[in-house]
């Protein structure tokens, strides 16, 4: 891995590793560029107008669901509505778009958690995605509440929680570093008490061991940000195919430039040229 001053290829989701702070890599084609070392440097993206599906590799005029062509968006289980709303899982009805994919990704243990990214929120993720999911959300802290047998059940638990706590991140507040201090251990106990009857009903229907409350420790995260933006302006490569500025920080899947922020995940599959202008 190195700091390449000039590289061209397809953007991918930014790999990251937990640390103090989180360590980010820019994945462009076969190149891997260490981003933390570039904070304070002038960088530039140029989009050449080509978008390729991250699944089938076909060229597409428009990206759907952060990187897919329309046919893949319509046929892949990873793009089905139940991914965003797991309580709507229809695997048990025999109508899953890709049953084998569902078995590998949904019929496995999931974690229902509380996180603090722009305030208290509830979320779910595969057990193997901790702490990656929390890094992607820009959470400064998170704590597991339940370990649940399937994605569907985790969605049902999340629905019970959403009566009492948000399930969305205010990404603008997250990028301003405007995050309140919270006691997640206390919040976990508070939410557990509020949903006790709902969880009891789910356990009665699906089995006691299918939904296990946990007393696991929380996880703290810090991000490599030198300057928090006062106002959030976004770079949209679909409208203006270039973005340039001093890299002032990285949080979630966003690069924070002094000229605006750019959501790298939104542009996965885009052919771009990335340059360090003051190299």
């Amino acid at each position: 891995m190195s700091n390449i001053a000039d590289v061209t290829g397809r953007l991918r989701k930014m790999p990251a590793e937990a640390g103090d702070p989180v360590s980010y890599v820019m994945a462009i084609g076969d190149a891997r560029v260490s981003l933390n070392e570039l904070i304070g440097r002038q960088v530039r993206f140029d989009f050449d107008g080509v978008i390729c599906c991250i699944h089938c590799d076909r060229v597409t005029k428009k990206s759907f669901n952060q990187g897919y062509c329309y046919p893949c968006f319509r046929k892949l289980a990873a793009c089905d509505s139940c991914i965003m709303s797991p309580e709507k899982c229809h695997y048990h009805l025999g109508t899953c778009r890709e049953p084998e994919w569902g078995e590998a990704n949904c019929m496995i243990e999931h974690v229902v958690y509380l996180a603090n990214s722009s305030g208290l929120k509830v979320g779910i993720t595969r057990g193997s995605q901790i702490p990656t999911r929390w890094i992607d959300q820009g959470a400064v802290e998170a704590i597991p509440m339940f370990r649940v047998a399937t994605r569907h059940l985790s969605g049902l638990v999340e629905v019970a929680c959403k009566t009492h706590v948000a399930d969305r991140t205010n990404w603008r507040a997250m990028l301003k570093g405007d995050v309140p201090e919270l006691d997640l251990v206390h919040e976990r106990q508070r939410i557990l008490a509020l949903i006790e009857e709902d969880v009891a009903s789910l356990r009665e229907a699906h089995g006691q061991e299918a939904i296990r409350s946990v007393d696991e420790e929380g996880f703290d995260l810090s991000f490599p940000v030198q300057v928090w933006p006062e106002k959030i302006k976004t770079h949209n490569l679909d409208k203006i195919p270039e973005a340039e500025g001093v890299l002032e920080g990285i949080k979630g899947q966003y690069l924070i430039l002094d000229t605006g922020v750019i959501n790298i995940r939104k542009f996965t599959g885009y052919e771009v040229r990335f340059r360090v202008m003051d190299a």
Side-chain angles (χ1 to χ4, degrees):
M1 191 184 306
S2 62
N3 275 336
I4 304 171
D6 192 335
V7 59
T8 300
R10 296 177 195 170
L11 271 178
R12 302 293 182 184
K13 176 184 172 184
M14 286 191 295
E17 293 184 1
D20 189 17
V22 170
S23 178
Y24 282 96
V25 172
M26 175 76 76
I28 303 180
D30 294 328
R32 299 294 183 270
V33 182
S34 177
L35 283 175
N36 291 47
E37 299 171 29
L38 296 180
I39 292 177
R41 306 283 296 277
Q42 186 89 9
V43 300
R44 179 181 175 93
F45 291 87
D46 288 283
F47 170 46
D48 68 6
V50 177
I51 308 171
C52 294
C53 176
I54 61 174
H55 178 76
C56 73
D57 211 34
R58 67 160 56 92
V59 175
T60 177
K61 292 183 178 180
K62 182 180 179 181
S63 173
F64 296 85
N65 200 32
Q66 300 176 333
Y68 297 92
C69 65
Y70 188 69
C72 286
F73 171 69
R74 292 286 296 170
K75 74 178 183 181
L76 295 178
C79 297
D80 205 346
S81 60
C82 53
I83 296 302
M84 292 299 294
S85 302
E87 70 277 9
K88 298 177 181 178
C89 173
H90 47 96
Y91 178 92
H92 60 290
L93 300 176
T95 54
C96 181
R97 291 179 176 182
E98 297 175 283
E100 291 185 1
W101 188 93
E103 290 165 9
N105 291 275
C106 301
M107 303 300 148
I108 59 174
E109 182 180 79
H110 277 62
V111 173
V112 181
Y113 62 85
L114 293 177
N116 183 12
S117 49
S118 59
L120 188 66
K121 74 175 292 290
V122 63
I124 68 171
T125 189
R126 296 192 301 273
S128 61
Q129 287 298 101
I130 292 176
T132 302
R133 176 61 174 161
W134 300 336
I135 293 172
D136 284 351
Q137 291 183 338
V140 298
E141 55 185 340
I143 195 168
M145 294 179 66
F146 297 95
R147 290 190 175 268
V148 184
T150 67
R151 185 175 180 84
H152 179 222
L153 282 179
S154 69
L156 295 176
V157 174
E158 184 184 38
V159 167
C161 294
K162 286 194 293 187
T163 303
H164 310 286
V165 60
D167 67 330
R168 304 285 181 182
T169 296
N170 181 334
W171 63 274
R172 292 181 181 274
M174 180 270 289
L175 289 174
K176 290 181 179 179
D178 186 14
V179 183
E181 291 187 9
L182 295 172
D183 182 342
L184 290 190
V185 174
H186 170 77
E187 293 295 340
R188 177 171 63 185
Q189 292 305 116
R190 183 177 69 85
I191 299 299
L192 286 173
L194 291 170
I195 64 172
E196 183 176 3
E197 292 185 6
D198 297 299
V199 172
S201 296
L202 289 171
R203 284 173 173 154
E204 185 176 346
H206 300 280
Q208 295 296 314
E209 290 302 310
I211 304 172
R212 297 182 293 109
S213 57
V214 295
D215 190 26
E216 299 175 19
E217 293 184 358
F219 203 100
D220 295 326
L221 292 162
S222 63
F223 295 87
V225 180
Q226 284 186 346
V227 180
W228 297 104
E230 295 182 5
K231 295 183 179 180
I232 302 299
K233 175 185 176 182
T234 58
H235 286 292
N236 187 341
L237 297 178
D238 291 316
K239 295 181 178 179
I240 301 176
E242 64 272 341
E244 182 174 345
V246 175
L247 179 61
E248 296 185 330
I250 317 161
K251 194 177 187 189
Q253 281 288 311
Y254 288 85
L255 299 187
I256 301 171
L257 308 182
D258 66 341
T259 55
V261 303
I262 181 168
N263 182 352
I264 297 300
R265 189 166 188 171
K266 173 180 172 64
F267 299 110
T268 51
Y270 283 53
E271 290 273 359
V272 302
R273 181 183 183 187
F274 175 74
R275 287 177 286 171
V276 182
M277 302 305 290
D278 58 358

